[in-house]
Amino acid sequence: MPDPTRPATGDDDTTTPATPATPATPATQDSATGSHGSTDPEHPGERTLADPAEEVTEINPDVDIAPEDIGVPVVSEGERLLEVDEVTLRFGGVVALNEVSFHINKGEILGLIGPNGAGKTTCFNVMTGVYQPTSGAVRYLGKPLGKRKKFQITKLGIARTFQNIRLFANMTALENVLVGVDAHHSTGVVSAMFRLPKHRREESQGYARAMELLTFMGLDGKADELARNLPYGDQRRLEIARALATSPQLLCLDEPAAGFNPAEKAKLMELIRTIRDQGYTVLLIEHDMKLVMGVTDRIVVLEFGRKIAEGSPAEIRDNPAVIAAYLGVDEEDAS
Amino acid sequence: MSTTTSAPAGRKSSSTGFRERVNNLPKAVKIVLWVLFALFLFLLPVLNIPFITTEGSDFGGVLFTVATYVLVALGLNIVVGYAGLLDLGYVGFYAVGAYTVGVLTSEHAHLSWVVVVPIAIVVAMISGVILGAPTLRVRGDYLAIVTLGFGEIVRLTLVNSEWLGGAQGISDIPKPPGVELFKVPSLDWSSGAPVVDLDTTSTFLKFGINDFVPYYWLALGIIGLVLLFDILVKSSRVGRAWEATREDEDAAELMGVPTFRFKLLAFALGAAIGGLSGALFATKAGFISPDSFILLLSILFLAAVVVGGAGNRWGVIVGAIVVGYFPERFREFADFRVLVFGLALMLLAIFRPQGLLPPRRTVRAKRADERQAVLEEGEASA
Amino acid sequence: GDTTTPAASGGAAACGNYKIGMFGALTGPNANLGIYIQNGVNLALDDYNKKHPDCKVTLENYDSQGDPTQAPALAKKAIDDKKVVGIVGPAFSGESKAADPAFNEAGLVTITPSATNPKLADNGWKTFFRALGNDATQGPAAAKYIKDTLKATKTFVIDDASEYGKGLADIVRQDLGSQVVGNDTIQQKQTDFSASVTKVTSSGADSLFFGGYSPEAAPLIKQLRDAGWKGTFVVADGVKDQSFIDNAKDAAEGTIITCPCVPADVAPAFQTAYKAKYNEDPNTYSGEGYDSATILLDGIAAGKDRSSMVDFVKSYDKKGVTKQLKFDAKGESADIKVFAYKVENGKIVSVGEIK
Amino acid sequence: MLLEVNGLCVNYGRIEAIRDISFTVDEGEIVTLIGANGAGKTTTMKTVSGLRPVRAGSVVFNGKDITHLPAHERPILGISQSPEGRGCFVGMTVMENLDMGTYARPDRKSKAVKADLERVFELFPRLKERSNQAAGSMSGGEQQMLAMGRALMAKPKLLLLDEPSMGLAPKLIQQIFDIVTEINSQGTTVLLVEQNAAQALKRSHRAYILETGEIVREGTGKDLADDPAVKAAYLGGDV
Amino acid sequence: MQNLIDNFFSYTITGLTIGAVYALVALGYTLVYGVLRLINFAHSEVFMYGTFASLWVVMILGGHPGAGVGQVIFWVAMMFVAAMAMSGFIAVLLERVAYRPLRKRNAPPLIALISAIGASFVLAEIMGLRSRIAGWVGLDDNLREYVRNSRNNAGLPTIIQPQPVFTVGGYHVTNVDIFVIVGAIAIMVILDQFVKRSRLGRGIRAVAMDPESAALMGVNRDRVIQVTFLVGGVMAGAAAVFYMLKIGITRYDAGFILGVKAFTAAVLGGIGNLRGALLGGFVLGLAENYGSAVVGSQWKDVVAFVLLVLILLFRPTGLLGESLGKARA
Ligand SMILES: Nc1ncnc2c1ncn2[C@@H]1O[C@H](COP(=O)(O)OP(=O)(O)OP(=O)(O)O)[C@@H](O)[C@H]1O
Ligand SMILES: Nc1ncnc2c1ncn2[C@@H]1O[C@H](COP(=O)(O)OP(=O)(O)OP(=O)(O)O)[C@@H](O)[C@H]1O
Ligand SMILES: CC(C)C[C@H](N)C(=O)O
Ligand SMILES: [Mg+2]
Ligand SMILES: [Mg+2]
């Protein structure tokens, strides 16, 4: 693990290089074998399977990653954080969202589900300023987002991950998170140039917070790995860490469990709960019903750009419209 | 580059082993090495080291040219290397800087050099903002052609504007005020061994028409300052924002990076450094005309950055030295020097595809790639 | 002349191993113009070295390709070579403007056999001399020829924005006055002149004056003729180059060229010597090149070095192959003539002095 | 034996993604690979389709050694892949993407293509509705349908499906497995990678379990599905 | 302005002829950009070699003014053959030497630009030094004519004497004008059909968007790229012939400015888009000429670039939009 006193910089030469987080193992055949499962090469069929939990990087739920005070008015638990009000969005002939309304309360985990192409990701895009709604409005803390730019919305406290991972592939894990932390910093050229106290303070605090987040997500050992060299699961986790780094009030996760196996999904479920317990509000898009049912407090269902249902997981599970549109008849199989 | 063969200059060496060894030296030793290296750079033009010294053209002048290239490359590196914006019209800013000096010291006013250079930097920076504000919304390669257009617009405006001296340019640009502190004699190697030649001296710092060495010294000092600036800014939030923008603009924006503002900042800073370099050029040349700011120069500047290793400041310095020095060194090839230079660019591209000194991360990635290639090729041919 | 001097008889010990420099385009698109001059200079050197076999003077070439941006570095190179006592050139006006300040500061004499921009003499350079008439005489001569000899009444004027081309064209414009029916400016290296062609043809001009060099003159007239323009094409010394005819081919026929350079037959002895060496007639500024070099060589023979050469040239007064060689206070030639030439059957032939 | 993989080793630089794995796929079979993240499933698929160079071992298809055959020649032999992460041509329309599926088909100009297109549209009506929409603007799940449809358009002998259900809604997942079973019954051999292991095992003839680049178990789909260890590890047993 | 109104048709026709040349050269940029997403900086030299090939073939055949129709047709046909062959060859060679090695090494796109710049210098200089190079080979005196003054202009004899065919608005449209405009459009229509009908077009786009998926579909990337260069080169060869017929003079560095213009045209129309290249070429040719008429020839290029900037500001992917898509957020 890198020396925490090291200034957090992405620069080549000003800092002494940290020792690589993961020592490079030589690429020889024998050195890499035998670390997992049993080792009798003659009878592969006889092996005992590895404990799946061992495969999953351990997260550290105890690390305090509560959002930093970013000057957003404090809303108490249960109050409305964000409201989607009669939002319609058209792409030419395609109506991606059709008068959709729902809201998210502070401190809850809200599930957003629906068939493919129902408009879930589009909903995220509208909430984060990627698209402007054709009509209707998104209100955050009671105020419409209006024509705010993407980065301004992030600064207000809405952060997201992407359905297709979009990390800064050639930056290290730590640098990826630092970019998120920087969202609320203000050092510019002048303070960097003269190394003003503000700059030093922000750098050291930012570095500390980034390391905390990495530790929380179980990525502290990989802080100096390039994002693109991380395994898929780590990349998904790093996306969450980066989003958390912006100290959001509302964290939007777009299919964070895609490509995970059931064991990994279970871990993720834990993680999402822990994140909420640390003071975040979570909006979750996910197709895995077990996960959605297990973690959310409330669910909104979209179909063809319209909201077709809203309610507690139990209500949604039994809603005939949802079953017809989304779950399909053989519900057991689907999960 | 040949200068890297001497001891402290080896810091530029791409061999990580060497670099680590240097890094591991005690701090005091490092400082001494740096000082020696600085001294070496300072004395380089008067040492007249055989083989390194250019026969065909005045070595002091060549070193000055190389120094302006280095400066330009550092500026362009901010735009291309850090922020990932392909700029094919960088010479435009260089011209703006040079012409600001020309206009304010000779053509239309006779302000002092000391006043004019900061003005030139500011004017170049403003021109960067003026170009950037509308065009930075244009993406990727479209930006390349827009900037190329800008460079040409600047040049053609100079050609066609009487007020700016037209195609005939501006002459009689005054020299900067100097102080005559001491004289530095040069070495003469004509007898085989170095002999101190007391007749040929350069005065620190007297700016004349026919001794280019003081200009080199001036440029060297400015490079030092710009380098420091670059190091400080890059290793801050600003540097990270540039990098994130380069990697994935949309994602960066959604992570709270005002990408447009940072791109504009990169453009403005790059332009300012380009303008500064142009101002130096005008000062030394004493005469500027639109012919000094042709499109080809933009391309050479870009070549310096890319060949050196876009994103790594030491790399682009090496690249600038290659692009600025080799064509002069190749003077003995006479008519064939552009041909040789072209071949050199191709060979560099093919054999150092990541640049001479790629940024740290690319080095790492490259090492992995190389090992992979070895492994894969080993199998494929087996 | 009678150049046997004490210095020469002083033998090898006093021999300075001096050099003179030839500064101009020896390669590049305008190389011909430089080479014509260089040939003249070489001939002068041959003459000198034949007379002074024990103390030869050599020629150092500074090939600027006619490019002003390369000129200062070359000037510096010449200045640093302490053996160089004088320069023939710079050949072009643009490069003169760029390089002459350095020569002036270094006190190294330059005698240009060809750069004709009048403003060059106004800079107060002590080392500047011009062995021919400038465009302040060539321009009016061209205008006069257009008006009086061609009897043209509508003239279109185009320049190439260069120090030389624009300077000359502006003088012609001024002299032609209301007879100018249109103006245009092109760029050096341009090849597509369609817009200018339209302007010329639609202006109804019966003559066109172009201030510039042959690389642009050739495609310009070719495209004009292709568009059916029938007027007379008038150019100046910058186009007096065989490559103009090689490239414009038939379109070059009938072009009028003015030049402050003397026709080959003005100095028959020189013509013969030149022909013997190069197997062709002396060309544009060969004679002027010969004369300029001769002045410097006379200086060397008189024992002058770099620093004393300036005064020697200033007080020089002898008959050269082209004219009486004598300079006024500004370094301008005292004896000035402008000639007209015409392209006929693929050759440039003299049609006499413009008086 | 349609596909035979022997002692395959593949590296990403110094990372050994798969080590000495061997398996076979018989004509007419559905064979599933399951394993945790990073086990090497995708790498195996890519090696079969030629996108990754082989360090050691061999790949034999239909009796022909294709270990070093360039990727673009494999579709001609009848290997088609629906890649992980979909790999749709984002700037092409849905229709053009489907067209690309037939690029290497010898009978690409025949009527059969039209019939296949109808069939794909029948399976995924959304694709028909949006046949002129740019693939890049389709939703994640829609792109997954498109990738699948494109692979079907190639009418391969061996269809490689890398997590075909990723990002699909529960109802559609169901449908995807039905499709796999159906095209298999029509004669296409399928090599399947799935995280949705319970479903996959149920539908497949045989399966292999991959762990950190090695095959640790193999058996019929049913046997593995009933194996408590497998259940605990991959089927989300009682989590 | 009055000048433009008075001579509108004249400026239009000349704009269209030069625009046709831009368009043909632009196709090469657009095609290569389409597959490799990089600016083939040396494409201008591909064009320049075409101009010389077409010139030399006329010299070899002894082309001269005032010949009969049959002879002229033969000469012009040979010009096309020579120029297209030469440019096609140079383009393919370029791909082999300057691009393929880089692709094999996974070089970043910017370095490919540098390699292309290097190649561009080398190609131009070889042509500019042909007399010197020929000197080493001990050139036969008969060939002197071809290499003389290698850094200066080389002019083509006027083999087609321009003759007015009809008159619009006072401007005599000549046979050469018609030939250039109609010929260029015809060639582009053929290319458009070829790219559409053959699988090449789809292959190009697929490789550009996702090389891995393209391979999975059976697209041979190296081949697609090679054919793309070849087609681009052949188009540049055709452009070279039209250029020589219209402008009549070439030089070792004649490609540079024209290349910049053609690339601008490609971007103007929407890079990667074949019809965009056509439209961009004509728009640029016209804009330049109209601009020259209004503000003076010396501002011609400024007009072109200002237009480019304006168009990109309002249509960031060119007039017809690029055909290469982007992934969504
Ligand atoms: N830019 C666009 N242009 C045209 N149609 C679009 C665009 N973006 C989205 N759509 C369409 O809008 C609909 C909603 O898409 P969205 O991505 O929100 O779906 P989703 O609910 O996230 O689906 P999935 O679960 O498959 O990810 C889809 O049918 C999609 O094709
Ligand atoms: N491009 C790459 N560069 C370096 N390593 C890679 C690359 N792609 C995969 N790997 C590594 O190779 C190993 C196998 O990866 P692979 O993608 O085959 O796994 P997988 O079984 O398909 O996993 P998943 O379920 O996440 O899709 C992993 O350790 C992964 O990190
Ligand atoms: C050689 C000459 C044609 C030069 C020209 N008279 C000039 O002043 O530039
Ligand atoms: Mg989605
Ligand atoms: Mg996978």
Side-chain angles (χ1 to χ4, degrees), chain C residues 33 37 89-97 100 111-122 125 128-140 162-169 171 209 211-213 235-240 258-262 284-285 288 323 331-333 336-339:
Chain C
L33 291 169
I37 297 169
F92 294 85
S93 301
E95 62 190 17
S96 297
K97 183 168 171 184
D100 281 349
I111 306 177
T112 180
S114 56
T116 50
N117 185 290
K119 280 186 255 161
L120 291 175
D122 299 337
W125 297 322
F128 175 82
F129 298 95
R130 169 147 53 198
L132 75 169
N134 66 26
D135 291 339
T137 48
Q138 179 174 217
S162 73
E163 183 81 15
Y164 158 71
K166 183 168 188 326
L168 177 58
I171 296 168
F209 181 83
Y213 300 97
V235 292
D237 56 338
V239 186
K240 192 170 172 295
T258 67
C259 187
C261 53
V262 300
T284 317
Y285 297 131
E288 284 75 6
K323 56 180 86 66
E332 294 278 19
S333 176
I336 293 171
K337 291 193 184 86
V338 181
F339 296 84

Side-chain angles (χ1 to χ4, degrees), chain C residues 62 146 239 269 281:
Chain C
Y62 300 99
I146 291 169
V239 186
D281 267 341

Side-chain angles (χ1 to χ4, degrees), chain C residues 139-216:
Chain C
K144 188 162 174 312
Y145 193 90
I146 291 169
K147 278 195 281 202
D148 299 353
T149 313
L150 296 178
K151 306 256 187 285
T153 53
K154 289 171 153 186
T155 309
F156 200 98
V157 183
I158 298 182
D159 68 75
D160 69 349
S162 73
E163 183 81 15
Y164 158 71
K166 183 168 188 326
L168 177 58
D170 281 347
I171 296 168
V172 171
R173 284 179 181 121
Q174 205 176 7
D175 265 54
L176 288 175
S178 60
Q179 184 176 335
V180 177
V181 291
N183 288 296
D184 207 4
T185 300
I186 55 117
Q187 309 286 315
Q188 280 184 287
K189 296 207 162 167
Q190 188 174 329
T191 50
D192 163 26
F193 296 102
S194 47
S196 305
V197 165
T198 302
K199 286 187 192 171
V200 174
T201 46
S202 67
S203 71
D206 56 6
S207 53
L208 165 67
F209 181 83
F210 171 66
Y213 300 97
S214 57
E216 289 75 35

Side-chain angles (χ1 to χ4, degrees), chain A residues 11 13-14 170 182 195, chain B residues 19 231 235 240 313 361:
Chain A
D11 183 69
D13 295 282
T14 48
N170 287 309
D182 281 338
R195 288 290 187 255
Chain B
R19 186 175 179 157
I231 289 171
S235 64
R240 284 191 295 272
R313 67 179 70 85
R361 66 186 53 78

Side-chain angles (χ1 to χ4, degrees), chain A:
Chain A
M1 202 184 109
D3 175 8
T5 57
R6 173 188 159 213
T9 67
D11 183 69
D12 317 349
D13 295 282
T14 48
T15 58
T16 44
T19 39
T22 36
T25 37
T28 51
Q29 195 130 0
D30 40 7
S31 71
T33 51
S35 48
H36 300 280
S38 71
T39 49
D40 188 352
E42 299 297 304
H43 308 285
E46 301 304 306
R47 293 179 180 194
T48 55
L49 296 181
D51 172 9
E54 189 193 303
E55 301 292 319
V56 181
T57 317
E58 213 51 60
I59 67 157
N60 297 281
D62 309 331
V63 181
D64 176 18
I65 55 150
E68 286 178 337
D69 178 13
I70 54 168
V72 171
V74 184
V75 198
S76 53
E77 194 93 352
E79 273 185 70
R80 280 189 186 192
L81 187 62
L82 181 125
E83 201 177 346
V84 174
D85 186 11
E86 300 271 300
V87 165
T88 299
L89 180 65
R90 271 180 243 275
F91 298 106
V94 178
V95 187
L97 294 173
N98 196 346
E99 299 185 350
V100 172
S101 301
F102 63 90
H103 67 271
I104 304 164
N105 293 326
K106 168 92 181 161
E108 75 175 337
I109 302 178
L110 179 71
L112 185 58
I113 64 172
N116 295 114
K120 305 178 294 296
T121 301
T122 306
C123 209
F124 269 29
N125 283 337
V126 169
M127 286 162 39
T128 52
V130 175
Y131 296 136
Q132 284 294 321
T134 315
S135 68
V138 178
R139 270 191 286 278
Y140 176 72
L141 293 167
K143 287 194 211 91
L145 289 179
K147 289 216 183 320
R148 283 197 175 77
K149 301 241 169 50
K150 288 174 266 190
F151 72 90
Q152 289 168 327
I153 293 173
T154 307
K155 283 190 184 175
L156 286 178
I158 304 180
R160 69 178 286 184
T161 65
F162 299 88
Q163 191 169 354
N164 311 318
I165 295 173
R166 292 186 72 172
L167 288 165
F168 306 125
N170 287 309
M171 296 172 81
T172 63
L174 176 66
E175 286 167 345
N176 266 278
V177 180
L178 279 172
V179 169
V181 177
D182 281 338
H184 299 290
H185 288 172
S186 57
T187 21
V189 174
V190 176
S191 42
M193 199 163 85
F194 297 106
R195 288 290 187 255
L196 298 181
K198 186 178 80 180
H199 167 87
R200 292 159 187 252
R201 197 179 54 239
E202 285 187 357
E203 285 291 309
S204 63
Q205 286 175 358
Y207 177 80
R209 174 156 173 85
M211 281 314 294
E212 260 168 31
L213 282 164
L214 285 176
T215 311
F216 175 77
M217 298 302 291
L219 293 169
D220 44 341
K222 313 218 165 138
D224 283 342
E225 285 287 319
L226 294 190
R228 68 177 158 98
N229 287 350
L230 293 175
Y232 190 80
D234 287 350
Q235 293 196 8
R236 282 240 178 255
R237 266 189 290 272
L238 181 56
E239 274 226 332
I240 299 177
R242 186 180 63 175
L244 286 172
T246 65
S247 290
Q249 297 293 302
L250 175 61
L251 177 67
C252 305
L253 304 173
D254 197 347
E255 297 197 31
F260 281 15
N261 68 24
E264 293 162 334
K265 282 179 178 165
K267 286 276 172 195
L268 186 75
M269 216 147 93
E270 281 307 307
L271 180 73
I272 293 172
R273 279 203 205 99
T274 317
I275 290 174
R276 190 259 306 270
D277 295 343
Q278 295 255 15
Y280 297 87
T281 307
V282 179
L283 174 59
L284 174 70
I285 298 180
E286 183 53 59
H287 285 303
D288 187 288
M289 278 307 109
K290 198 176 249 174
L291 202 156
V292 175
M293 297 296 167
V295 76
T296 56
D297 301 316
R298 215 153 51 85
I299 295 177
V300 170
V301 189
L302 300 181
E303 188 197 12
F304 292 121
R306 274 179 200 283
K307 184 171 85 177
I308 56 166
E310 180 175 350
S312 70
E315 287 163 3
I316 295 299
R317 190 199 294 269
D318 299 329
N319 185 320
V322 177
I323 294 173
Y326 185 55
L327 298 174
V329 266
D330 193 356
E331 193 194 321
E332 278 310 297
D333 267 354
S335 54

